[in-house]
Amino acid sequence: MSTDEQKAINKTLAWGLLKTNALVHKLHPTNLRHSFAANPQRASEFSVKTEHLFYDFSRQLVDRATMKLLFSLAKTAGLPEKIQAMFSGLKINVTEGRAVLHTALRQQGNNPVFVDGQDVIPEVKAVLTKVKQFSDEVHSGQRTGMTGKRFKNIISIGIGGSYLGPEYLAEACRAFAKDGLILRFVANVDGTDFAQKTADLDPAESLFVIVSKTFTTAETMKNAATARNWLKAKLGDNPEVVKKHVIAVSTAEKLVSEFGIDPANMFGFWDWVGGRFSAASAVGAVPLSLFLGYENFEQILKGAAWLDEHFLLAPLENNIPVIAGLIDIWNINFLGYHERALLPYAQALLKLAPHTQQVEMESNGKRVDVYGRPVAFATGEVVFGEPGTNGQHSFYQLIHQGMVIPADFIAAINSQYQVGTNSATAVDHQRELLCNFLAQPDALAFGKTADEVREELVSQGKLNADEIEELVPHKVFPGNRPSSSFLINQLTPFTAGLLLALTEHRTVVKGFVWGINSFDQWGVELGKQLGVKVREQFLKQPNDPQGFNPSTGALFRSIIEGKLLN
Ligand code: F6P
């Protein structure tokens, strides 16, 4: 171990003390009913109030001692210094030798941030100016397609980080979209995605944005080539068609122009922007400014920047992404809960879970630490989710009475649309939604005892005593199921940006404490490499597959034969 190597976090005193604390929790399981009764201040003590976001973690299985130990773990891991290092442009992505500066993409001032001696802020601002100009030209009709028709359809082709973050933001902000503009995303190489997303579109009114940091990703290149053919089939085999109807967001200018795209219509970003952290770069700026107008994209950046500042400046004890990340660590590593349910009570947040899945699971699903040493504890968690109330009618049964899965509830006080009205006998849609947002965490936390069930059944007077006793165990809710509640005023571009940054920072807090590199993704490479070999087989020797194991060989032969083989 070289002198600058840190002790693995699970070998530190802080970790050991948390282990002991967890043991105490195991021997005397937290009873949230008692915790609330014993401490009338619990709700305010275990929550953070800010101008734009309220975070209540009072229903988590933590007490003062646990929180103190978690903050001490964060300090032991050097969390404050690591956060500073990230914002200042140090090359903390060690396996790729890169800085990690997605925060620079939304910086609201002009404070220099240096990478290799060069201030990156002027370049960031220059790209944004170019995006604004381009999207304004499309909206004003100054920039049109081959036939002079205005662009009505924006089709963004990209996958992974070149898709999920922008799609989350597009859905979150759909209520703010420019009239008459359609934005669709094509990500999957399954031709169904392209075919269905373009079936009702007129190529003359369609503008494709090819989003790929590397401009080599197989799925994206396949979809991009198909888009080029689709355009040419209708608009003519003329290089001008691609120049007018296809633009790119990439770091690979040479490949972009080889594809036929006018380099003037390429929007750049930099190797210090990781794919899953790139929604605030041109990756999101181009499709979202076209869809929402540049001014709304600017609001997204402002919201993210607000959270960035909170993350950078708030003390650990009052820092929302830090607390959320530390509680995740408590749940994962000390209580043994390896899943997290993301439950937004806002239909427009329907793509928050898929985006968070990439940010969390691609970043933190690692087997070694930054020094290459195997980690002896779980890194990462399985994140899944659905907007409420839909999830309630799907998987909530399991989280109420089956497995214990820590849950995050997210809601806005005000809806994006006023639907229905409140009266003495009925509430509007938003209040109806929020009834559930308020009720579900309590059901999880406080449950329903056998005595309460019994009392309820007796008062209903429908069953005899034996029948009641038979039913009681089925209707008991154990309670003590941890959850947090996040509340915003309204889902707007600003708060959508804020939630984007919250997702990113919460993830890196965990990576920093665990001592892993949250910014590389070598785990996605092997499958890609094997895919290349399979493609070669498809191209070269369809009747005599070589080099496959018996299982893959049998599947391959069925595909080649075009039918299931007996
Ligand atoms: O899935 C691996 C990955 O490299 C992601 O990290 C990235 O977001 C995605 O592929 C797309 O990469 P690109 O933007 O280079 O097409």
Side-chain angles (χ1 to χ4, degrees):
M1 191 163 95
S2 74
T3 45
D4 57 354
E5 280 184 25
Q6 259 186 8
K7 209 185 222 185
I9 192 68
N10 63 321
K11 300 272 162 55
T12 62
L13 177 65
W15 186 279
L17 291 174
L18 275 160
K19 275 269 171 217
T20 310
N21 189 260
L23 205 63
V24 173
H25 277 264
K26 224 178 211 155
L27 294 173
H28 308 283
T30 308
N31 182 313
L32 286 169
R33 287 187 185 208
H34 295 167
S35 307
F36 272 87
N39 177 9
Q41 306 304 321
R42 184 172 171 92
S44 59
E45 199 179 312
F46 294 84
S47 60
V48 181
K49 291 191 179 76
T50 70
E51 188 189 350
H52 296 292
L53 179 64
F54 176 57
Y55 172 46
D56 179 346
F57 56 100
S58 60
R59 289 177 190 75
Q60 292 286 346
L61 303 179
V62 293
D63 53 22
R64 280 181 200 145
T66 311
M67 291 312 298
K68 215 169 152 205
L69 291 172
L70 285 169
F71 293 126
S72 148
L73 181 78
K75 285 175 199 147
T76 302
L79 180 65
E81 296 79 10
K82 288 175 181 175
I83 294 171
Q84 290 285 343
M86 181 175 85
F87 275 81
S88 66
L90 288 186
K91 296 196 175 176
I92 60 171
N93 176 357
V94 286
T95 60
E96 297 179 314
R98 293 175 181 168
V100 176
L101 273 178
H102 44 282
T103 49
L105 299 167
R106 52 244 189 171
Q107 201 211 84
Q108 295 300 295
N110 280 307
N111 305 324
V113 180
F114 293 98
V115 175
D116 294 326
Q118 205 176 334
D119 180 10
V120 301
I121 299 298
E123 292 179 65
V124 169
K125 306 272 176 194
V127 172
L128 287 175
T129 304
K130 187 170 159 180
V131 173
K132 178 181 176 349
Q133 193 183 339
F134 187 93
S135 54
D136 285 351
E137 284 172 14
V138 168
H139 296 142
S140 68
Q142 192 186 333
R143 184 180 284 273
T144 63
M146 280 298 277
T147 65
K149 277 190 174 180
R150 281 182 177 231
F151 290 120
K152 276 189 4 202
N153 317 312
I154 314 300
I155 307 106
S156 184
I157 294 181
I159 198 162
S162 294
Y163 153 58
L164 291 161
E167 187 191 44
Y168 147 64
L169 290 167
E171 289 305 330
C173 304
R174 181 173 285 284
F176 299 81
K178 288 256 170 204
D179 278 350
L181 270 179
I182 289 172
L183 171 64
R184 293 200 181 142
F185 292 90
V186 176
N188 201 328
V189 74
D190 182 340
T192 303
D193 204 8
F194 186 91
Q196 292 186 341
K197 300 280 174 55
T198 53
D200 57 344
L201 304 184
D202 176 0
E205 298 174 333
S206 299
L207 178 65
F208 285 88
V209 189
I210 314 298
V211 186
S212 177
K213 183 172 174 180
T214 54
F215 226 71
T216 57
T217 302
E219 296 93 326
T220 300
M221 290 303 105
K222 189 81 190 162
N223 279 321
T226 301
R228 187 169 53 190
N229 293 339
W230 183 81
L231 288 166
K232 284 183 173 175
K234 172 84 187 278
L235 300 172
D237 193 359
N238 170 351
E240 281 305 301
V241 169
V242 176
K243 289 206 161 63
K244 279 195 184 293
H245 288 260
V246 188
I247 63 176
V249 176
S250 186
T251 58
E253 189 171 341
K254 188 163 171 283
L255 296 176
V256 166
S257 61
E258 278 167 16
F259 183 89
I261 294 168
D262 184 349
N265 293 338
M266 177 185 127
F267 299 83
F269 60 117
W270 308 272
D271 74 354
W272 43 262
V273 183
R276 54 196 172 275
F277 298 96
S278 65
S281 72
V283 166
V286 174
L288 294 168
S289 296
L290 287 164
F291 185 47
L292 306 170
Y294 180 78
E295 59 293 348
N296 278 320
F297 183 72
E298 224 174 15
Q299 284 299 313
I300 291 174
L301 295 182
K302 286 197 163 110
W306 182 86
L307 206 275
D308 291 344
E309 195 170 302
H310 168 82
F311 183 46
L312 186 64
L313 301 180
L316 297 185
E317 294 75 8
N318 217 29
N319 191 314
I320 296 175
V322 167
I323 297 172
L326 291 176
I327 288 179
D328 289 341
I329 290 175
W330 171 244
N331 285 332
I332 297 165
N333 299 120
F334 299 96
L335 300 186
Y337 304 139
H338 294 164
E339 298 84 20
R340 176 158 63 91
L342 192 49
L343 310 171
Y345 279 68
Q347 179 60 22
L349 292 179
L350 80 163
K351 294 293 178 184
L352 181 59
H355 168 60
T356 306
Q357 282 174 338
Q358 192 203 13
V359 176
E360 286 280 3
M361 291 155 81
E362 191 165 270
S363 299
N364 286 342
K366 301 288 161 65
R367 59 173 289 275
V368 295
D369 68 10
V370 285
Y371 305 111
R373 303 173 299 199
V375 282
F377 48 86
T379 66
E381 68 214 291
V382 177
V383 179
F384 70 97
E386 273 294 318
T389 61
N390 299 10
Q392 290 174 204
H393 301 272
S394 165
F395 53 81
Y396 277 34
Q397 167 65 40
L398 180 136
I399 62 173
H400 279 294
Q401 290 187 315
M403 295 163 68
V404 177
I405 298 182
D408 285 327
F409 292 89
I410 307 175
I413 298 167
N414 300 296
S415 173
Q416 290 180 330
Y417 299 91
Q418 178 56 49
V419 184
T421 48
N422 291 308
S423 71
T425 52
V427 293
D428 68 5
H429 280 253
Q430 181 65 3
R431 291 278 163 95
E432 192 67 42
L433 176 72
L434 295 181
C435 292
N436 294 277
F437 166 74
L438 295 176
Q440 291 293 332
D442 279 349
L444 286 169
F446 307 126
K448 198 176 195 178
T449 64
D451 282 346
E452 287 167 342
V453 174
R454 211 169 274 121
E455 207 175 296
E456 188 179 272
L457 291 173
V458 169
S459 73
Q460 286 166 359
K462 290 184 190 151
L463 303 175
N464 66 35
D466 287 347
E467 288 167 337
I468 286 177
E469 283 315 306
E470 259 176 45
L471 201 50
V472 164
H474 298 278
K475 299 193 94 171
V476 165
F477 287 72
N480 298 314
R481 291 171 178 237
S483 71
S484 295
S485 298
F486 295 83
L487 190 62
I488 54 176
N489 284 316
Q490 190 175 32
L491 186 55
T492 59
F494 184 93
T495 48
L498 179 159
L499 293 174
L500 178 90
L502 175 62
T503 304
E504 294 167 351
H505 297 329
R506 177 181 188 165
T507 301
V508 307
V509 162
K510 283 173 267 188
F512 285 155
V513 172
W514 285 326
I516 59 173
N517 182 0
S518 298
F519 309 107
D520 61 12
Q521 57 285 316
W522 301 106
V524 303
E525 292 304 322
L526 178 58
K528 282 189 202 170
Q529 282 166 10
L530 297 182
V532 170
K533 285 194 189 153
V534 179
R535 192 180 303 116
E536 280 165 10
Q537 290 291 317
F538 272 131
L539 290 171
K540 282 189 200 153
Q541 299 169 356
N543 294 320
D544 180 22
Q546 297 295 307
F548 289 128
N549 62 62
S551 165
T552 311
L555 294 165
F556 183 91
R557 270 189 292 279
S558 275
I559 294 167
I560 288 294
E561 295 284 332
K563 60 178 191 239
L564 297 177
L565 300 176
N566 291 322

